[in-house]
């Protein structure tokens, strides 16, 4: 009987305690190598990437208040670290041309297969969901842009 | 008896002819028959041993060959080929391919560090020639 009461009490205590364990924030700002600073990319494309991808694929995440609460903050932090490892738009301008071409191909594949943005993210960030039209715009961009990069590289 | 031999013989000859026709067709359909795509022998033997079973048009493993077929690399557009080569490099670098589940049963299919280097050299030479 008593034990049951203690157990119930333990849950809020644990929830409060874990708030003291917060991962470092991903907020190094937009560096000069960020894809935003790439002048040859249309604003419509940059806006889409900004709304749907930068939170996990750049050095600057726009946090909401609930992102700062454990264990949500831990999950988010995991997504960001993993996402940046695969693709970090903050490093775009310093990337090797072949890496760019390869990742452009993957960007189109991931959004076409509805794997990106992550479901967990677009469920909460409704605005991040990409429409069929937006997906087409992104894929048209990735194929045109990679052709352009290759042409420039040959010159 | 003699008739049967004649019969079998002519069937065999006919078959040989039809095979050679198929071969010709294959060569014709390639854009540049004089430059049929060849991976250099040292890299190819490694890839053949460790990857072709799943990543070749002759493979029975539909899932994997749909994603990547080594014999079809040169039919891809330049940018697609570059993307494929970089993916191959990445999968090998991160030890994701061949799949762990598979190398558990066939440890001899794992790539040694030296073999990885040979494959990466091939990839680099392909990239710079694009």
């Amino acid at each position: 009987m008593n034990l049951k009461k203690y157990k119930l009490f333990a849950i809020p205590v644990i929830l409060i305690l874990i708030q003291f364990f917060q991962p470092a924030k991903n907020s190094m700002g937009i560096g000069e190598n960020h894809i935003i600073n790439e002048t040859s990319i249309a604003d419509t494309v940059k806006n889409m990437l900004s709304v749907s991808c930068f939170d996990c694929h750049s050095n600057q995440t726009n946090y909401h208040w609930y992102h700062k609460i454990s264990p949500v903050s831990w999950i988010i932090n995991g997504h960001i670290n993993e996402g940046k490892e695969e693709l970090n738009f903050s490093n775009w301008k310093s990337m090797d041309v072949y890496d760019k071409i390869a990742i452009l191909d993957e960007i189109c594949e991931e959004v076409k297969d509805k794997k990106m943005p992550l479901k967990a993210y677009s469920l909460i960030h409704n605005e991040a969901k990409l429409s069929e039209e937006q997906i087409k715009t992104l894929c048209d961009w990735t194929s045109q842009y990679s052709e352009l990069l290759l042409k420039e590289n040959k010159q | 008896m003699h008739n049967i031999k004649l019969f079998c013989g002519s069937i065999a000859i006919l078959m040989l002819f039809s095979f050679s026709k198929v071969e010709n067709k294959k060569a014709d359909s390639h854009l540049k028959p004089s430059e049929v795509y060849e991976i250099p022998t040292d890299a190819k033997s490694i890839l053949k041993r460790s990857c072709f079973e799943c990543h070749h048009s002759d493979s029975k493993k539909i899932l994997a060959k749909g994603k990547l077929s080594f014999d079809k690399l040169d039919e891809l557009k330049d940018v697609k080929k570059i993307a494929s080569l970089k993916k191959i490099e990445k999968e090998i670098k991160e030890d994701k391919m061949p799949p762990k589940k598979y190398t558990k049963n066939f440890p001899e299919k794992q790539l040694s560090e030296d073999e990885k280097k040979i494959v990466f050299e091939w990839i680099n030479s392909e990239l710079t020639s694009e």
Side-chain angles (χ1 to χ4, degrees):
Chain A
M1 188 60 198
N2 262 346
L3 203 67
K4 229 180 195 170
K5 252 190 204 160
Y6 282 130
K7 268 187 189 160
L8 235 78
F9 184 62
I11 294 167
V13 169
I14 289 171
L15 278 176
I16 289 166
L17 278 177
I18 63 173
Q19 298 316 313
F20 291 99
F21 298 90
Q22 294 293 346
K25 289 272 168 307
N26 182 44
S27 52
M28 284 172 265
I30 291 169
E32 56 178 317
N33 285 329
H34 197 290
I35 197 168
I36 281 284
N37 297 327
E38 183 62 72
T39 47
S40 57
I41 300 172
D43 284 343
T44 41
V45 169
K46 287 181 188 167
N47 285 341
M48 261 188 274
L49 298 176
S50 173
V51 172
S52 304
C53 321
F54 288 173
D55 272 353
C56 302
H57 292 289
S58 83
N59 292 339
Q60 182 67 46
T61 304
N62 280 322
Y63 290 96
H64 290 287
W65 62 268
Y66 52 85
H67 292 150
K68 295 173 184 159
I69 298 168
S70 310
V72 177
S73 55
W74 301 343
I75 297 168
I76 304 271
N77 188 53
H79 286 164
I80 296 168
N81 286 341
E82 255 187 83
K84 274 165 66 174
E85 221 168 88
E86 295 283 343
L87 162 63
N88 188 343
F89 284 113
S90 290
N91 298 339
W92 184 259
K93 290 180 78 174
S94 62
M95 276 166 63
D96 174 74
V97 62
Y98 300 122
D99 286 330
K100 285 182 183 172
I101 291 172
I103 205 76
L104 284 167
D105 189 64
E106 291 206 34
I107 289 172
C108 171
E109 258 176 48
E110 295 287 313
V111 297
K112 233 182 0 198
D113 294 348
K114 308 272 160 77
K115 286 189 189 150
M116 289 290 149
L118 282 187
K119 282 246 160 53
Y121 183 81
S122 51
L123 267 176
I124 302 165
H125 301 79
N126 209 20
E127 73 284 358
K129 245 181 242 158
L130 296 170
S131 68
E132 289 303 323
E133 205 187 322
Q134 283 177 310
I135 291 171
K136 188 175 177 303
T137 307
L138 261 185
C139 284
D140 286 347
W141 167 67
T142 57
S143 69
Q144 281 163 14
Y145 189 45
S146 53
E147 294 285 356
L148 178 77
L149 288 172
L150 186 61
K151 214 168 89 190
E152 281 176 357
N153 188 53
K154 276 181 181 159
Q155 280 164 2
Chain B
M1 194 59 202
H2 183 71
N3 271 348
I4 290 176
K5 265 189 191 160
L6 204 72
F7 181 71
C8 289
S10 40
I11 293 275
I13 288 168
L14 272 174
M15 274 170 83
L16 278 176
F17 265 114
S18 60
F19 272 127
S20 69
K21 238 183 196 160
V22 172
E23 285 301 308
N24 272 338
K25 226 184 194 166
K26 255 190 191 155
D28 283 346
S29 69
H30 204 283
L31 290 175
K32 294 167 274 179
S34 56
E35 296 172 36
V36 171
Y37 185 55
E38 275 301 333
I39 302 171
T41 338
D42 50 351
K44 189 171 181 174
S45 64
I46 298 165
L47 297 170
K48 193 172 176 183
R49 182 204 63 205
S50 297
C51 321
F52 281 15
E53 187 180 338
C54 303
H55 294 291
H56 196 278
S57 346
D58 298 337
S59 162
K60 291 182 183 65
K61 305 210 160 96
I62 294 160
L63 175 68
K65 82 174 174 193
K67 292 226 161 189
L68 164 71
S69 282
F70 277 93
D71 51 314
K72 301 269 192 236
L73 269 182
D74 222 38
E75 293 171 18
L76 299 174
K77 271 200 313 186
D78 283 354
V79 287
K80 282 275 176 193
K81 184 174 161 190
I82 292 169
S84 286
L85 289 167
K86 290 302 286 188
K87 255 191 230 174
I88 293 165
E89 183 183 56
K90 188 169 169 229
E91 299 287 321
I92 293 178
K93 237 180 219 158
E94 295 175 2
D95 282 323
K96 290 192 180 148
M97 286 287 153
K100 286 252 154 56
K101 263 195 220 159
Y102 176 77
T103 47
K104 230 197 265 163
N105 297 326
F106 305 97
E108 73 280 8
K109 307 241 171 179
Q110 225 150 6
L111 274 71
S112 70
E113 291 305 314
D114 284 341
E115 288 173 333
K116 285 183 190 173
K117 250 187 228 149
I118 293 171
V119 174
F120 296 156
E121 267 161 29
W122 160 65
I123 289 174
N124 274 330
S125 70
E126 282 294 318
L127 287 175
T128 44
S129 73
E130 281 304 321

